[in-house]
Amino acid sequence: MIKEKYTIKDIAQMAGVSKGTVDRVLHKRGKVSKNAFEKVDKVLKEIDYKPNPIARNLKRNKTYSIHVLLPDPDNDPYWIPANEGVLEASDQFTPFGIIIRKYFYDPRNKSSFVEHSQEAIKSRPDVLLMAPIFENESQLVLKRCSETKIPVVLFNNHINCFKEQIFIGQDLKQSGRVAASLMEKIIGRNDEIAIIHINKEPHMQSKENGFIEFFTEKSDGDHIMVSKTFNSAEENIFKHEVSQFIKDNPKINAFFVTNSKAYMLVEAFQDLKKDDSSIIGYDLLKPNIKYLKQGNIKFLIHQKPKRQAFLSVNYLAEHFLFGKPLPAQEFLPIDIITTENAHYYL
Amino acid sequence: MIKEKYTIKDIAQMAGVSKGTVDRVLHKRGKVSKNAFEKVDKVLKEIDYKPNPIARNLKRNKTYSIHVLLPDPDNDPYWIPANEGVLEASDQFTPFGIIIRKYFYDPRNKSSFVEHSQEAIKSRPDVLLMAPIFENESQLVLKRCSETKIPVVLFNNHINCFKEQIFIGQDLKQSGRVAASLMEKIIGRNDEIAIIHINKEPHMQSKENGFIEFFTEKSDGDHIMVSKTFNSAEENIFKHEVSQFIKDNPKINAFFVTNSKAYMLVEAFQDLKKDDSSIIGYDLLKPNIKYLKQGNIKFLIHQKPKRQAFLSVNYLAEHFLFGKPLPAQEFLPIDIITTENAHYYL
């Protein structure tokens, strides 16, 4: 059946009632006789009438505030696209009465997070959208918001013990499994593998768990795995520690870097004149893309930070404006990036 | 600056003019004195006013017809998600006055395509959206539409000689390069590779070209490549021909299948008790996913048929309804699928 567009006038004519009656039925307001209601209802069913939620809601004239708490892109370039995602959603929904305010914190500094989260809560938004990094401090924020009845939506990382929170991002354990499924295809049967954390944040453990789980389930091949955490704050110390690790583990030539800092490992290897290793990492940062194209990094996994941030704001805005339900959690696709498809995701 | 939502009443008060004047300025209709115009204009700039294109256009009450010509999903399951994409867009835009009519043709049968294309043209839609398969016949359709001034938008495949047509789909040559970049990582330095076409359609040559180009550019490793076309209409003949090919080319154990029929190659190999080969194919058909999970297929490339179809209708609908410009071409991301991320794309 082909659906045409029917106007209120059309429906009124078909039902043999006034336009005002149709309008009252459609918007469930005012008095309508049972007889008139049934006539209109019959026509609506016949024509498979679907209300236009946007037109319906534009009449309201209310504003809603979404306050966004995220790491400062100036401190970690991973967050640049997330900030862009917030801006894009902001452009789209501001004309409809959604007010978005951002609070940047320094991801290297817990007290910066605490300070800006307090500011955000104090301004009493309709909802707080948060990318949490510090586990204990984030839990305090959640507790505070719960007390003051400010709903919280998380994106990018989970905080484990608050399972009932709404979360939009990547399934981090599954993401580790994706990395493992790639690693399995590019290494030899008995190669040794290192799982490398650079400036480890709590949620990276989930990726390691998924990675190990995948290989544990496989019976073919037998891989020795080592997990190692580095701190990159002091470049010289970082490079020295990498050098020591390579000396201690000469047989390892496959590396899974659990965050956006695979390029740092490549650079440390270049100083050591170590090559011919298989590195899998995360995120489309410029130096990562460069080393992907040069072949130093075999695969990158794309965490879609822009999409995550955009979608989070989008869901909230549509929830406020059109009453759409919020998803309990939305796991975004885990995109696999190689030299030849990278540019589509940038 | 935080943007609040301003009503026409707010703007009128701020500019010191009537609501009617603001309305006339916003909608560029009726007479407004220069003085009043400047007052309103100044306020609009101050508040960074952005018109709401949806609200503005809802007042029009026109319908637009988009007729979609695509292969019958009953004849080739590749087209099931494309059909779903059209349906989804149809649900979204029908209430706004977009009428979508579908014409299915049998992708194995040129005269079926000709017949249904004539029917679609005869009904004089506002635009024809077409997934072309038969090159010469599709060119005749384009010619006919050009004569009768029906704009055409292509999705899924190009038709080479009509470069000025709007196209939404995958860059097929680049897609071949993506397959090659994956193949390079999973095979040995000097392995021999077969490029397999099953029921070859003209656009698959672009994938082969891209695949070969990638390896030609690489200096490391030296791969003998063979291109082979099979017809799968008669299962026995198909399996016999695959068997003969394997006998004639015993050293080949890497296979790039250029369309959604990689599962057929896997099944032919199973009959021959051939395994331990690297197969890369296309599309998330059920049997392909099954063999991906079993490890017979190493990677699948996802062509996003649902997204292609949805986006095509979406662009056209927004063009008609809101005057948005149409993209000359939109190349969708080339998604790489492995066992562990497949379910996100289904």
Side-chain angles (χ1 to χ4, degrees), chain B residues 256-314:
Chain B
F256 169 44
V257 181
T258 58
N259 67 1
S260 63
K261 297 179 175 61
Y263 68 92
M264 288 187 172
L265 193 67
V266 174
E267 285 165 3
F269 284 177
Q270 285 176 338
D271 283 10
L272 298 169
K273 310 241 182 292
K274 174 177 170 57
D275 45 39
D276 221 32
S277 55
S278 295
I279 299 177
I280 293 176
Y282 278 85
D283 303 319
L284 305 182
L285 270 56
K286 268 190 191 155
N288 282 341
I289 296 284
K290 181 178 131 195
Y291 294 127
L292 184 74
K293 303 228 159 176
Q294 291 181 9
N296 309 89
I297 295 174
K298 296 286 184 269
F299 288 104
L300 288 170
I301 293 174
H302 179 32
Q303 305 203 76
K304 301 167 108 70
K306 181 171 178 179
R307 182 85 190 137
Q308 285 175 18
F310 176 82
L311 260 190
S312 301
V313 176
N314 187 79

Side-chain angles (χ1 to χ4, degrees), chain A residues 167-265:
Chain A
F167 171 70
I168 293 160
Q170 196 164 84
D171 179 340
L172 298 173
K173 190 176 173 198
Q174 191 63 28
S175 181
R177 291 186 61 102
V178 170
S181 74
L182 295 171
M183 190 63 94
E184 188 212 12
K185 289 181 179 61
I186 63 172
I187 63 174
R189 279 183 78 85
N190 298 300
D191 281 1
E192 294 185 14
I193 303 170
I195 299 164
I196 304 291
H197 303 290
I198 300 178
N199 309 339
K200 190 174 185 178
E201 292 161 1
H203 58 280
M204 293 186 207
Q205 188 59 42
S206 304
K207 293 181 183 173
E208 173 172 333
N209 296 348
F211 189 87
I212 291 173
E213 185 185 81
F214 178 91
F215 277 106
T216 308
E217 286 169 13
K218 292 272 159 178
S219 53
D220 53 335
D222 192 12
H223 302 281
I224 291 171
M225 285 201 218
V226 177
S227 174
K228 174 71 184 169
T229 298
F230 295 107
N231 189 310
S232 75
E234 297 265 1
E235 200 184 341
N236 284 340
I237 298 174
F238 171 70
K239 288 193 170 173
H240 175 75
E241 285 185 350
V242 170
S243 163
Q244 195 58 49
F245 179 75
I246 296 300
K247 264 183 217 145
D248 295 345
N249 299 276
K251 283 188 177 169
I252 294 181
N253 67 347
F255 299 85
F256 170 44
V257 181
T258 57
N259 67 0
S260 63
K261 297 180 175 60
Y263 68 93
M264 288 187 171
L265 193 67

Side-chain angles (χ1 to χ4, degrees), chain A residues 2-7 10 50-55 57-58 60-63 90-91 94-101 170-171 174-175 177-178 181-182 185-187 214 217-218 292-293 297-299 304 331-341 343-345, chain B residues 2-7 10 50-55 58 60-63 90-91 94-101 170-171 174-175 177-178 181-182 184-187 214 217-218 292-293 297-299 304 331-341 343-345:
Chain A
I2 296 166
K3 296 168 208 153
E4 299 274 353
K5 193 181 180 185
Y6 294 91
T7 62
D10 297 329
K50 293 208 177 86
N52 177 338
I54 297 174
N57 280 280
L58 279 176
R60 294 188 202 155
N61 203 32
K62 203 169 154 0
T63 60
S90 178
D91 274 355
T94 296
F96 290 89
I98 300 292
I99 300 164
I100 289 160
R101 191 178 292 175
Q170 196 164 84
D171 179 340
Q174 191 63 28
S175 181
R177 291 186 61 102
V178 170
S181 74
L182 295 171
K185 289 181 179 61
I186 63 172
I187 63 174
F214 178 91
E217 286 169 13
K218 292 272 159 178
L292 184 74
K293 303 230 160 176
I297 294 175
K298 296 285 185 267
F299 288 104
K304 299 165 109 71
F331 286 138
L332 298 188
I334 299 173
D335 292 328
I336 298 169
I337 310 298
T338 171
T339 42
E340 297 296 324
N341 72 340
H343 61 283
Y344 294 106
Y345 300 89
Chain B
I2 296 164
K3 296 168 208 155
E4 300 273 355
K5 191 180 180 183
Y6 294 91
T7 63
D10 298 330
K50 294 212 175 82
N52 177 338
I54 297 174
L58 278 176
R60 296 188 200 153
N61 204 32
K62 204 171 152 5
T63 61
S90 178
D91 274 355
T94 297
F96 289 91
I98 300 292
I99 301 163
I100 290 159
R101 191 178 292 174
Q170 197 163 84
D171 180 340
Q174 191 62 29
S175 181
R177 291 185 62 102
V178 170
S181 74
L182 295 170
E184 187 211 13
K185 291 180 178 60
I186 63 173
I187 63 174
F214 178 90
E217 285 169 15
K218 293 271 161 180
L292 184 74
K293 303 228 159 176
I297 295 174
K298 296 286 184 269
F299 288 104
K304 301 167 108 70
F331 286 138
L332 298 186
I334 299 172
D335 292 329
I336 298 169
I337 311 298
T338 172
T339 40
E340 298 295 324
N341 72 340
H343 61 283
Y344 294 106
Y345 299 90

Side-chain angles (χ1 to χ4, degrees), chain B residues 17-226:
Chain B
V17 300
S18 73
K19 288 201 289 177
T21 302
V22 175
D23 190 71
R24 285 195 291 281
V25 171
L26 290 178
H27 296 95
K28 299 186 179 65
R29 66 180 169 223
K31 276 193 187 169
V32 179
S33 74
K34 200 180 162 222
N35 182 25
F37 177 86
E38 279 168 2
K39 279 188 198 162
V40 174
D41 194 52
K42 187 160 170 274
V43 170
L44 294 181
K45 278 175 187 149
E46 274 169 20
I47 65 174
D48 191 20
Y49 176 82
K50 294 212 175 82
N52 177 338
I54 297 174
R56 174 175 286 187
N57 280 280
L58 278 176
K59 288 173 186 165
R60 296 188 200 153
N61 204 32
K62 204 171 152 5
T63 61
Y64 300 90
S65 56
I66 301 172
H67 289 190
V68 188
L69 185 59
L70 82 168
D72 193 333
D74 283 348
N75 298 133
D76 182 347
Y78 171 77
W79 296 97
I80 293 172
N83 186 35
E84 287 169 0
V86 173
L87 284 173
E88 203 170 277
S90 178
D91 274 355
Q92 185 165 325
F93 288 103
T94 297
F96 289 91
I98 300 292
I99 301 163
I100 290 159
R101 191 178 292 174
K102 286 184 288 183
Y103 298 84
F104 288 143
Y105 65 89
D106 184 341
R108 302 160 305 186
N109 184 338
K110 286 184 187 180
S111 64
S112 162
F113 173 74
V114 172
E115 186 192 319
H116 288 98
S117 66
Q118 282 170 350
E119 214 188 315
I121 293 171
K122 215 171 134 192
S123 61
R124 301 203 53 78
D126 288 304
V127 67
L128 180 67
L129 177 61
M130 174 166 91
I133 282 186
F134 305 111
E135 195 144 347
N136 295 333
E137 289 74 11
S138 299
Q139 281 176 27
L140 289 176
V141 170
L142 291 180
K143 194 162 168 280
R144 186 82 189 284
C145 285
S146 162
E147 284 161 9
T148 49
K149 301 225 159 51
I150 297 172
V152 180
V153 171
L154 302 177
F155 76 104
N156 201 70
N157 329 325
H158 285 277
I159 298 175
N160 283 327
C161 61
F162 278 76
K163 289 221 165 89
E164 73 284 10
Q165 278 323 123
I166 293 173
F167 171 71
I168 293 160
Q170 197 163 84
D171 180 340
L172 299 173
K173 191 175 171 198
Q174 191 62 29
S175 181
R177 291 185 62 102
V178 170
S181 74
L182 295 170
M183 190 63 95
E184 187 211 13
K185 291 180 178 60
I186 63 173
I187 63 174
R189 279 182 78 84
N190 297 302
D191 281 2
E192 294 184 16
I193 303 170
I195 299 163
I196 303 291
H197 303 290
I198 301 177
N199 309 339
K200 189 174 186 178
E201 290 161 2
H203 58 280
M204 293 184 205
Q205 188 60 43
S206 304
K207 293 181 183 171
E208 173 171 333
N209 296 348
F211 189 87
I212 291 173
E213 185 184 80
F214 178 90
F215 277 106
T216 308
E217 285 169 15
K218 293 271 161 180
S219 52
D220 54 332
D222 192 13
H223 302 281
I224 289 172
M225 286 201 215
V226 177

Side-chain angles (χ1 to χ4, degrees), chain A residues 11 14-15 38-48:
Chain A
I11 297 167
M14 291 164 80
E38 279 168 2
K39 280 188 199 165
V40 174
D41 194 51
K42 187 160 170 274
V43 170
L44 294 180
K45 277 176 187 147
E46 273 169 19
I47 64 174
D48 191 21

